[in-house]
Amino acid sequence: MSKLVVGATWDDVPHLTAEQKAELWASIPPYQRDARSKGIPQLGSGAIFPVPESDIVCEPFDMPVYWVRGYGMDVGWNRTAVVWGAHDRDTDVVYLWSEHYRGQAEPSIHAAAIRARGDWMHGAIDPASRGRGQKDGEQLMENYIELGLSLSKAENGVEAGLFDVWQRLSTGRLKVFKTLQNWLAEYRLYRRDDKGAVVKTNDHLMDATRYFVVSGLQLCTVAPDAGQRLVRGSQHQSEYNPLEGL
């Protein structure tokens, strides 16, 4: 038996005028706007991050080379997830700009995909990876380091980490490129059960995001050739060097 889900937004409703949509939008609480205007599922009080998707999603753009970058990583045989972030230190806004989301693959496959984004970046990894077997009892953190990744164990205080992520989301200091479709799919379903516990399914990128925000930001660096690319990319140079002091 197969199932088909068809989504529809109020832009697909021909009888609603622009003025009516504006009035409806103003009358809807922020946390219900995506559900009622775009048909995106919302989980009400059970949602861990009750921040409208429209408040955090942005169009991809070319980020300045002097923004520091890094990633958070959650490992497992059924699913290994990585999310890359860039930090604009001038405004303290973090942009999640790329993701890796794959299951049932060898560490070498994941490591190659991670290095392809830039092997100079540092990552914060699931601290439980040190003792978890992905295959034949391998110690994953050491294995990934041997495969060329620069990794540090992330802090794993779950509630404190969730609070840090929520603070950034709710104050506009964490944005997500709309191309991160796996991240957005998890975000829509990330919730607590009726006892208040985090539902531990389809949450790999959410965990990776928590590791990045809590521990990965302090590991972020600029690309080794960022200074050269900055000079080549501009015909009008001033004495200001945004890389100074990083």
Side-chain angles (χ1 to χ4, degrees):
M1 180 178 177
S2 60
K3 295 181 179 180
L4 176 66
V5 177
V6 178
T9 75
W10 64 16
D11 290 332
D12 298 311
V13 181
H15 65 268
L16 284 177
T17 66
E19 291 76 14
Q20 289 172 321
K21 291 176 187 176
E23 290 179 4
L24 287 170
W25 183 266
S27 67
I28 297 172
Y31 66 90
Q32 293 182 0
R33 285 173 176 169
D34 282 341
R36 298 182 63 178
S37 67
K38 302 176 184 177
I40 296 173
Q42 297 292 311
L43 298 167
S45 60
I48 292 176
F49 301 132
V51 179
E53 191 175 312
S54 55
D55 286 358
I56 65 174
V57 173
C58 66
E59 294 286 339
F61 62 92
D62 291 330
M63 296 174 292
V65 296
Y66 55 85
W67 283 7
V68 294
R69 309 187 194 198
Y71 58 90
M73 182 177 183
D74 183 63
V75 297
W77 176 246
N78 289 325
R79 187 71 58 187
T80 288
V82 184
V83 64
W84 281 263
H87 189 193
D88 176 2
R89 288 176 169 173
D90 291 334
T91 61
D92 191 27
V93 177
V94 173
Y95 293 86
L96 303 183
W97 56 274
S98 189
E99 64 181 16
H100 171 72
Y101 197 69
R102 181 169 178 174
Q104 302 184 7
E106 302 296 328
S108 58
I109 302 298
H110 299 303
I114 295 167
R115 292 197 310 271
R117 265 72 163 195
D119 57 8
W120 51 270
M121 283 185 277
H122 302 276
I125 190 173
D126 175 4
S129 64
R130 183 176 292 275
R132 183 188 304 168
Q134 191 168 5
K135 182 183 179 185
D136 298 330
E138 293 169 319
Q139 291 183 321
L140 287 177
M141 183 172 172
E142 286 79 0
N143 195 358
Y144 278 113
I145 290 174
E146 290 173 359
L147 290 167
L149 302 187
S150 177
L151 295 170
S152 298
K153 289 192 297 181
E155 293 292 330
N156 198 25
V158 176
E159 292 301 328
L162 292 176
F163 181 75
D164 287 347
V165 175
W166 175 80
Q167 275 199 316
R168 282 194 167 274
L169 288 168
S170 61
T171 57
R173 293 180 297 123
L174 180 59
K175 301 293 186 181
V176 184
F177 282 12
K178 73 174 187 180
T179 48
L180 275 60
Q181 291 300 306
N182 293 302
W183 192 98
L184 292 170
E186 285 195 3
Y187 181 82
R188 293 163 188 160
L189 299 174
Y190 199 37
R191 65 196 188 279
R192 298 182 186 274
D193 61 22
D194 55 5
K195 296 181 180 179
V198 176
V199 176
K200 294 301 295 177
T201 57
N202 300 315
D203 64 343
H204 308 285
L205 284 165
M206 296 297 100
D207 282 348
T209 300
R210 176 163 52 86
Y211 300 146
F212 177 69
V213 169
V214 172
S215 301
L217 285 178
Q218 58 190 310
L219 302 171
C220 287
T221 58
V222 294
D225 63 343
Q228 296 176 359
R229 287 192 285 153
L230 182 66
V231 172
R232 289 198 303 267
S234 175
Q235 296 178 350
H236 305 285
Q237 295 295 316
S238 71
E239 295 181 356
Y240 169 63
N241 181 4
L243 298 176
E244 202 171 274
L246 294 181

